[in-house]
Amino acid sequence: MRNLIVLILVLCSFRVPISQGRPRLSLVLKCKQSAGFNLYAQGTTKMCLYLGQENKTYVEAKADCTSRNSRLAVLNTLEKYQIVEPMSNVWIGLDDSVTEGTYRWADGSILDLQSELKKKIFYPGEPNAAYELEDCVCNYCFMNRPKLFDSPCGDTYRYLCEKVI
């Protein structure tokens, strides 16, 4: 009986920064097993994220995520975007480095630039390739304005790694 009480107390001590609901314990444990990662949620959507504290270029951020067995965050739903919306000056996993104008998520899928999702997550008029080499996408990274912007990949920002669990 005493062991059961100790187990319950240990399990109850996990704190997870989520905005709504309680995640299944297995998701919490899988996410917590990765150093620096935390579980976040919006509605029924959950993401296991690491927020890099050092500023890195897009390529450096991508490499750091890979070294953590993760990828730059894929925000291919409105709920996922809402999870990271308040996180400013961060690279996410979206770029048009391979083909100009074709924005590909870190999971390989393509963002439809005519979609409602694009209209809701990008700042009006973005992505615009206004400056040479604006091939990578960051959140809340231009003139303290919320939403996504395309930016030169050589700029340095913090970054969001996503562990797929």
Side-chain angles (χ1 to χ4, degrees):
M1 183 66 158
R2 183 175 180 197
N3 289 343
L4 180 60
I5 293 171
V6 170
L7 178 62
I8 291 170
L9 291 173
V10 168
L11 292 176
C12 291
S13 70
F14 283 102
R15 293 186 186 177
V16 181
I18 61 172
S19 59
Q20 295 178 359
R22 298 282 309 168
R24 290 186 320 224
L25 188 57
S26 63
L27 293 177
V28 175
L29 292 176
K30 286 179 184 178
C31 189
K32 287 290 186 182
Q33 288 173 349
S34 301
F37 283 81
N38 289 297
L39 191 66
Y40 296 83
Q42 177 67 32
T44 59
T45 300
K46 294 166 183 55
M47 295 181 80
C48 182
L49 299 173
Y50 170 84
L51 176 60
Q53 296 302 305
E54 294 180 32
N55 288 345
K56 295 185 182 286
T57 67
Y58 189 83
V59 171
E60 292 168 339
K62 190 174 181 178
D64 190 64
C65 290
T66 300
S67 76
R68 297 172 190 280
N69 288 328
S70 62
R71 64 184 182 205
L72 283 171
V74 174
L75 311 179
N76 56 2
T77 67
L78 184 58
E79 292 78 16
K80 286 183 175 184
Y81 176 72
Q82 290 170 336
I83 289 170
V84 305
E85 188 173 16
M87 299 175 191
S88 62
N89 298 310
V90 293
W91 289 120
I92 62 163
L94 183 63
D95 65 72
D96 71 343
S97 300
V98 174
T99 305
E100 184 64 31
T102 301
Y103 283 85
R104 190 173 303 274
W105 293 105
D107 68 358
S109 62
I110 295 174
L111 172 66
D112 178 358
L113 294 179
Q114 304 306 313
S115 68
E116 284 301 312
L117 177 64
K118 183 267 179 193
K119 294 173 188 170
K120 290 180 179 182
I121 65 177
F122 272 94
Y123 191 79
E126 294 287 331
N128 60 13
Y131 300 101
E132 189 176 331
L133 302 176
E134 278 193 343
D135 290 328
C136 299
V137 177
C138 53
N139 185 50
Y140 215 133
C141 60
F142 184 69
M143 296 180 64
N144 207 22
R145 294 182 179 148
K147 303 286 184 186
L148 301 183
F149 289 85
D150 57 339
S151 183
C153 300
D155 286 358
T156 58
Y157 299 110
R158 295 179 309 155
Y159 51 96
L160 285 170
C161 299
E162 176 186 14
K163 175 92 53 180
V164 180
I165 51 175

mmCIF file of all heavy atoms in Angstrom, residues 58 61-62 65-66 70-76 80 91-96 102-111 137 160-162 164:
data_model
loop_
_atom_site.group_PDB
_atom_site.id
_atom_site.type_symbol
_atom_site.label_atom_id
_atom_site.label_comp_id
_atom_site.label_asym_id
_atom_site.label_seq_id
_atom_site.Cartn_x
_atom_site.Cartn_y
_atom_site.Cartn_z
ATOM 1 N N TYR A 58 19.245 29.222 -39.403
ATOM 2 C CA TYR A 58 18.279 28.164 -39.682
ATOM 3 C C TYR A 58 18.976 26.813 -39.806
ATOM 4 O O TYR A 58 18.537 25.819 -39.228
ATOM 5 C CB TYR A 58 17.513 28.509 -40.964
ATOM 6 C CG TYR A 58 16.343 27.600 -41.253
ATOM 7 C CD1 TYR A 58 15.115 27.819 -40.650
ATOM 8 C CD2 TYR A 58 16.456 26.540 -42.149
ATOM 9 C CE1 TYR A 58 14.030 27.002 -40.922
ATOM 10 C CE2 TYR A 58 15.379 25.724 -42.428
ATOM 11 C CZ TYR A 58 14.164 25.955 -41.811
ATOM 12 O OH TYR A 58 13.087 25.146 -42.090
ATOM 13 N N ALA A 61 20.114 25.638 -36.419
ATOM 14 C CA ALA A 61 18.957 25.219 -35.621
ATOM 15 C C ALA A 61 18.466 23.846 -36.070
ATOM 16 O O ALA A 61 18.184 22.969 -35.246
ATOM 17 C CB ALA A 61 17.836 26.249 -35.739
ATOM 18 N N LYS A 62 18.389 23.664 -37.380
ATOM 19 C CA LYS A 62 17.953 22.378 -37.944
ATOM 20 C C LYS A 62 18.899 21.254 -37.487
ATOM 21 O O LYS A 62 18.453 20.182 -37.078
ATOM 22 C CB LYS A 62 17.924 22.499 -39.464
ATOM 23 C CG LYS A 62 17.282 21.381 -40.188
ATOM 24 C CD LYS A 62 17.211 21.730 -41.673
ATOM 25 C CE LYS A 62 16.543 20.651 -42.463
ATOM 26 N NZ LYS A 62 16.427 20.999 -43.890
ATOM 27 N N CYS A 65 18.358 20.422 -33.794
ATOM 28 C CA CYS A 65 17.158 19.585 -33.616
ATOM 29 C C CYS A 65 17.446 18.144 -33.999
ATOM 30 O O CYS A 65 17.062 17.215 -33.283
ATOM 31 C CB CYS A 65 15.992 20.139 -34.438
ATOM 32 S SG CYS A 65 15.332 21.700 -33.827
ATOM 33 N N THR A 66 18.138 17.953 -35.120
ATOM 34 C CA THR A 66 18.489 16.601 -35.557
ATOM 35 C C THR A 66 19.324 15.897 -34.490
ATOM 36 O O THR A 66 19.104 14.716 -34.208
ATOM 37 C CB THR A 66 19.235 16.645 -36.900
ATOM 38 O OG1 THR A 66 18.387 17.246 -37.881
ATOM 39 C CG2 THR A 66 19.646 15.261 -37.367
ATOM 40 N N SER A 70 15.010 15.070 -33.198
ATOM 41 C CA SER A 70 13.773 15.802 -33.437
ATOM 42 C C SER A 70 13.935 16.591 -34.733
ATOM 43 O O SER A 70 14.911 16.405 -35.462
ATOM 44 C CB SER A 70 13.484 16.743 -32.256
ATOM 45 O OG SER A 70 14.510 17.704 -32.111
ATOM 46 N N ARG A 71 12.986 17.449 -35.007
ATOM 47 C CA ARG A 71 13.026 18.291 -36.201
ATOM 48 C C ARG A 71 12.545 19.680 -35.811
ATOM 49 O O ARG A 71 11.939 19.859 -34.740
ATOM 50 C CB ARG A 71 12.117 17.710 -37.284
ATOM 51 C CG ARG A 71 10.650 17.708 -36.861
ATOM 52 C CD ARG A 71 9.763 17.051 -37.876
ATOM 53 N NE ARG A 71 8.372 17.133 -37.418
ATOM 54 C CZ ARG A 71 7.430 16.303 -37.787
ATOM 55 N NH1 ARG A 71 7.708 15.305 -38.610
ATOM 56 N NH2 ARG A 71 6.195 16.446 -37.352
ATOM 57 N N LEU A 72 12.793 20.659 -36.667
ATOM 58 C CA LEU A 72 12.196 21.967 -36.433
ATOM 59 C C LEU A 72 10.684 21.791 -36.454
ATOM 60 O O LEU A 72 10.149 20.960 -37.206
ATOM 61 C CB LEU A 72 12.649 22.974 -37.491
ATOM 62 C CG LEU A 72 14.067 23.515 -37.308
ATOM 63 C CD1 LEU A 72 14.493 24.323 -38.530
ATOM 64 C CD2 LEU A 72 14.162 24.379 -36.056
ATOM 65 N N ALA A 73 9.977 22.544 -35.644
ATOM 66 C CA ALA A 73 8.539 22.351 -35.426
ATOM 67 C C ALA A 73 7.717 22.529 -36.697
ATOM 68 O O ALA A 73 7.905 23.492 -37.445
ATOM 69 C CB ALA A 73 8.041 23.315 -34.360
ATOM 70 N N VAL A 74 6.818 21.594 -36.905
ATOM 71 C CA VAL A 74 5.877 21.613 -38.028
ATOM 72 C C VAL A 74 4.538 22.117 -37.492
ATOM 73 O O VAL A 74 3.926 21.478 -36.646
ATOM 74 C CB VAL A 74 5.727 20.201 -38.645
ATOM 75 C CG1 VAL A 74 4.645 20.188 -39.707
ATOM 76 C CG2 VAL A 74 7.065 19.732 -39.215
ATOM 77 N N LEU A 75 4.105 23.266 -37.995
ATOM 78 C CA LEU A 75 2.866 23.898 -37.519
ATOM 79 C C LEU A 75 1.801 23.826 -38.599
ATOM 80 O O LEU A 75 1.247 24.841 -39.028
ATOM 81 C CB LEU A 75 3.143 25.361 -37.144
ATOM 82 C CG LEU A 75 4.358 25.598 -36.247
ATOM 83 C CD1 LEU A 75 4.548 27.072 -35.977
ATOM 84 C CD2 LEU A 75 4.235 24.802 -34.967
ATOM 85 N N ASN A 76 1.507 22.626 -39.051
ATOM 86 C CA ASN A 76 0.617 22.440 -40.199
ATOM 87 C C ASN A 76 -0.865 22.387 -39.852
ATOM 88 O O ASN A 76 -1.681 22.004 -40.684
ATOM 89 C CB ASN A 76 1.028 21.204 -40.999
ATOM 90 C CG ASN A 76 1.059 19.950 -40.150
ATOM 91 O OD1 ASN A 76 0.747 19.974 -38.966
ATOM 92 N ND2 ASN A 76 1.448 18.848 -40.770
ATOM 93 N N LYS A 80 -1.667 23.719 -33.794
ATOM 94 C CA LYS A 80 -0.217 23.691 -33.572
ATOM 95 C C LYS A 80 0.343 25.104 -33.595
ATOM 96 O O LYS A 80 1.198 25.452 -32.780
ATOM 97 C CB LYS A 80 0.478 22.821 -34.621
ATOM 98 C CG LYS A 80 0.286 21.340 -34.407
ATOM 99 C CD LYS A 80 1.065 20.544 -35.430
ATOM 100 C CE LYS A 80 0.977 19.059 -35.157
ATOM 101 N NZ LYS A 80 1.817 18.294 -36.097
ATOM 102 N N TRP A 91 12.830 30.164 -35.021
ATOM 103 C CA TRP A 91 12.730 29.439 -36.282
ATOM 104 C C TRP A 91 11.741 28.291 -36.106
ATOM 105 O O TRP A 91 11.694 27.670 -35.048
ATOM 106 C CB TRP A 91 14.070 28.822 -36.684
ATOM 107 C CG TRP A 91 15.134 29.755 -37.135
ATOM 108 C CD1 TRP A 91 16.369 29.921 -36.566
ATOM 109 C CD2 TRP A 91 15.108 30.628 -38.265
ATOM 110 N NE1 TRP A 91 17.093 30.842 -37.271
ATOM 111 C CE2 TRP A 91 16.348 31.290 -38.324
ATOM 112 C CE3 TRP A 91 14.144 30.916 -39.244
ATOM 113 C CZ2 TRP A 91 16.663 32.225 -39.316
ATOM 114 C CZ3 TRP A 91 14.447 31.844 -40.224
ATOM 115 C CH2 TRP A 91 15.685 32.489 -40.253
ATOM 116 N N ILE A 92 10.983 28.016 -37.163
ATOM 117 C CA ILE A 92 10.140 26.828 -37.210
ATOM 118 C C ILE A 92 10.547 26.039 -38.449
ATOM 119 O O ILE A 92 11.332 26.517 -39.268
ATOM 120 C CB ILE A 92 8.635 27.192 -37.259
ATOM 121 C CG1 ILE A 92 8.316 27.994 -38.520
ATOM 122 C CG2 ILE A 92 8.240 27.944 -35.988
ATOM 123 C CD1 ILE A 92 6.853 28.046 -38.859
ATOM 124 N N GLY A 93 9.990 24.858 -38.624
ATOM 125 C CA GLY A 93 10.380 23.987 -39.722
ATOM 126 C C GLY A 93 9.618 24.246 -41.005
ATOM 127 O O GLY A 93 8.845 23.394 -41.444
ATOM 128 N N LEU A 94 9.828 25.404 -41.610
ATOM 129 C CA LEU A 94 9.178 25.739 -42.879
ATOM 130 C C LEU A 94 10.129 26.601 -43.684
ATOM 131 O O LEU A 94 10.659 27.599 -43.181
ATOM 132 C CB LEU A 94 7.865 26.491 -42.621
ATOM 133 C CG LEU A 94 7.018 26.869 -43.834
ATOM 134 C CD1 LEU A 94 6.533 25.627 -44.590
ATOM 135 C CD2 LEU A 94 5.820 27.722 -43.405
ATOM 136 N N ASP A 95 10.368 26.203 -44.950
ATOM 137 C CA ASP A 95 11.246 26.990 -45.812
ATOM 138 C C ASP A 95 10.933 26.710 -47.282
ATOM 139 O O ASP A 95 10.240 25.755 -47.610
ATOM 140 C CB ASP A 95 12.720 26.695 -45.512
ATOM 141 C CG ASP A 95 13.125 25.271 -45.833
ATOM 142 O OD1 ASP A 95 13.228 24.937 -47.032
ATOM 143 O OD2 ASP A 95 13.347 24.491 -44.887
ATOM 144 N N ASP A 96 11.449 27.592 -48.136
ATOM 145 C CA ASP A 96 11.345 27.368 -49.582
ATOM 146 C C ASP A 96 12.743 27.326 -50.199
ATOM 147 O O ASP A 96 12.977 27.807 -51.294
ATOM 148 C CB ASP A 96 10.437 28.394 -50.264
ATOM 149 C CG ASP A 96 11.009 29.793 -50.351
ATOM 150 O OD1 ASP A 96 11.966 30.109 -49.627
ATOM 151 O OD2 ASP A 96 10.499 30.583 -51.168
ATOM 152 N N THR A 102 7.762 27.504 -53.032
ATOM 153 C CA THR A 102 7.160 26.254 -52.560
ATOM 154 C C THR A 102 7.641 26.022 -51.140
ATOM 155 O O THR A 102 8.788 25.624 -50.914
ATOM 156 C CB THR A 102 7.544 25.059 -53.461
ATOM 157 O OG1 THR A 102 7.099 25.315 -54.788
ATOM 158 C CG2 THR A 102 6.912 23.769 -52.951
ATOM 159 N N TYR A 103 6.766 26.316 -50.191
ATOM 160 C CA TYR A 103 7.134 26.207 -48.780
ATOM 161 C C TYR A 103 6.866 24.793 -48.287
ATOM 162 O O TYR A 103 5.746 24.311 -48.302
ATOM 163 C CB TYR A 103 6.371 27.241 -47.941
ATOM 164 C CG TYR A 103 6.980 28.604 -48.124
ATOM 165 C CD1 TYR A 103 6.609 29.411 -49.196
ATOM 166 C CD2 TYR A 103 7.968 29.052 -47.268
ATOM 167 C CE1 TYR A 103 7.202 30.651 -49.387
ATOM 168 C CE2 TYR A 103 8.569 30.286 -47.456
ATOM 169 C CZ TYR A 103 8.184 31.080 -48.506
ATOM 170 O OH TYR A 103 8.775 32.292 -48.703
ATOM 171 N N ARG A 104 7.946 24.155 -47.849
ATOM 172 C CA ARG A 104 7.906 22.762 -47.413
ATOM 173 C C ARG A 104 8.162 22.707 -45.904
ATOM 174 O O ARG A 104 9.099 23.301 -45.396
ATOM 175 C CB ARG A 104 8.970 21.972 -48.168
ATOM 176 C CG ARG A 104 8.894 20.486 -48.005
ATOM 177 C CD ARG A 104 9.877 19.763 -48.918
ATOM 178 N NE ARG A 104 9.699 20.073 -50.322
ATOM 179 C CZ ARG A 104 8.849 19.442 -51.144
ATOM 180 N NH1 ARG A 104 8.111 18.460 -50.675
ATOM 181 N NH2 ARG A 104 8.759 19.780 -52.411
ATOM 182 N N TRP A 105 7.280 21.956 -45.207
ATOM 183 C CA TRP A 105 7.451 21.726 -43.774
ATOM 184 C C TRP A 105 8.583 20.738 -43.547
ATOM 185 O O TRP A 105 8.951 19.976 -44.449
ATOM 186 C CB TRP A 105 6.163 21.178 -43.162
ATOM 187 C CG TRP A 105 5.021 22.140 -43.148
ATOM 188 C CD1 TRP A 105 3.924 22.128 -43.960
ATOM 189 C CD2 TRP A 105 4.846 23.264 -42.274
ATOM 190 N NE1 TRP A 105 3.088 23.174 -43.639
ATOM 191 C CE2 TRP A 105 3.627 23.893 -42.612
ATOM 192 C CE3 TRP A 105 5.601 23.802 -41.241
ATOM 193 C CZ2 TRP A 105 3.144 25.015 -41.952
ATOM 194 C CZ3 TRP A 105 5.127 24.927 -40.571
ATOM 195 C CH2 TRP A 105 3.912 25.520 -40.928
ATOM 196 N N ALA A 106 9.113 20.698 -42.346
ATOM 197 C CA ALA A 106 10.211 19.792 -41.998
ATOM 198 C C ALA A 106 9.830 18.324 -42.137
ATOM 199 O O ALA A 106 10.701 17.468 -42.224
ATOM 200 C CB ALA A 106 10.702 20.076 -40.578
ATOM 201 N N ASP A 107 8.540 18.013 -42.183
ATOM 202 C CA ASP A 107 8.109 16.624 -42.399
ATOM 203 C C ASP A 107 7.974 16.286 -43.880
ATOM 204 O O ASP A 107 7.586 15.180 -44.238
ATOM 205 C CB ASP A 107 6.805 16.323 -41.654
ATOM 206 C CG ASP A 107 5.600 17.076 -42.222
ATOM 207 O OD1 ASP A 107 5.744 17.870 -43.185
ATOM 208 O OD2 ASP A 107 4.487 16.874 -41.686
ATOM 209 N N GLY A 108 8.274 17.253 -44.768
ATOM 210 C CA GLY A 108 8.214 17.027 -46.210
ATOM 211 C C GLY A 108 6.936 17.488 -46.872
ATOM 212 O O GLY A 108 6.874 17.596 -48.094
ATOM 213 N N SER A 109 5.897 17.759 -46.104
ATOM 214 C CA SER A 109 4.637 18.212 -46.705
ATOM 215 C C SER A 109 4.764 19.674 -47.145
ATOM 216 O O SER A 109 5.641 20.409 -46.692
ATOM 217 C CB SER A 109 3.476 18.034 -45.714
ATOM 218 O OG SER A 109 3.679 18.821 -44.558
ATOM 219 N N ILE A 110 3.876 20.077 -48.047
ATOM 220 C CA ILE A 110 3.924 21.417 -48.635
ATOM 221 C C ILE A 110 2.766 22.257 -48.109
ATOM 222 O O ILE A 110 1.633 21.777 -48.015
ATOM 223 C CB ILE A 110 3.882 21.326 -50.177
ATOM 224 C CG1 ILE A 110 5.156 20.629 -50.668
ATOM 225 C CG2 ILE A 110 3.739 22.703 -50.807
ATOM 226 C CD1 ILE A 110 5.179 20.343 -52.159
ATOM 227 N N LEU A 111 3.070 23.508 -47.777
ATOM 228 C CA LEU A 111 2.043 24.456 -47.341
ATOM 229 C C LEU A 111 1.377 25.049 -48.580
ATOM 230 O O LEU A 111 2.051 25.625 -49.433
ATOM 231 C CB LEU A 111 2.651 25.582 -46.507
ATOM 232 C CG LEU A 111 1.704 26.730 -46.146
ATOM 233 C CD1 LEU A 111 0.590 26.260 -45.213
ATOM 234 C CD2 LEU A 111 2.475 27.879 -45.519
ATOM 235 N N VAL A 137 11.435 30.425 -42.434
ATOM 236 C CA VAL A 137 10.291 31.042 -41.755
ATOM 237 C C VAL A 137 10.517 31.057 -40.234
ATOM 238 O O VAL A 137 10.946 30.068 -39.644
ATOM 239 C CB VAL A 137 8.985 30.295 -42.108
ATOM 240 C CG1 VAL A 137 7.804 30.868 -41.348
ATOM 241 C CG2 VAL A 137 8.731 30.379 -43.618
ATOM 242 N N LEU A 160 12.515 26.160 -32.380
ATOM 243 C CA LEU A 160 11.651 25.162 -31.757
ATOM 244 C C LEU A 160 11.874 23.800 -32.390
ATOM 245 O O LEU A 160 11.626 23.609 -33.578
ATOM 246 C CB LEU A 160 10.186 25.551 -31.943
ATOM 247 C CG LEU A 160 9.674 26.674 -31.069
ATOM 248 C CD1 LEU A 160 8.299 27.117 -31.523
ATOM 249 C CD2 LEU A 160 9.626 26.217 -29.618
ATOM 250 N N CYS A 161 12.366 22.869 -31.592
ATOM 251 C CA CYS A 161 12.500 21.475 -32.033
ATOM 252 C C CYS A 161 11.236 20.737 -31.599
ATOM 253 O O CYS A 161 10.735 20.946 -30.499
ATOM 254 C CB CYS A 161 13.703 20.810 -31.387
ATOM 255 S SG CYS A 161 15.289 21.575 -31.772
ATOM 256 N N GLU A 162 10.773 19.858 -32.458
ATOM 257 C CA GLU A 162 9.591 19.045 -32.169
ATOM 258 C C GLU A 162 9.970 17.576 -32.163
ATOM 259 O O GLU A 162 10.530 17.067 -33.136
ATOM 260 C CB GLU A 162 8.519 19.293 -33.238
ATOM 261 C CG GLU A 162 7.307 18.432 -33.091
ATOM 262 C CD GLU A 162 6.328 18.596 -34.252
ATOM 263 O OE1 GLU A 162 6.684 19.161 -35.284
ATOM 264 O OE2 GLU A 162 5.191 18.116 -34.098
ATOM 265 N N VAL A 164 8.544 13.994 -32.347
ATOM 266 C CA VAL A 164 7.316 13.311 -32.768
ATOM 267 C C VAL A 164 7.142 12.082 -31.889
ATOM 268 O O VAL A 164 7.983 11.193 -31.873
ATOM 269 C CB VAL A 164 7.389 12.913 -34.263
ATOM 270 C CG1 VAL A 164 6.103 12.210 -34.672
ATOM 271 C CG2 VAL A 164 7.621 14.140 -35.115
#
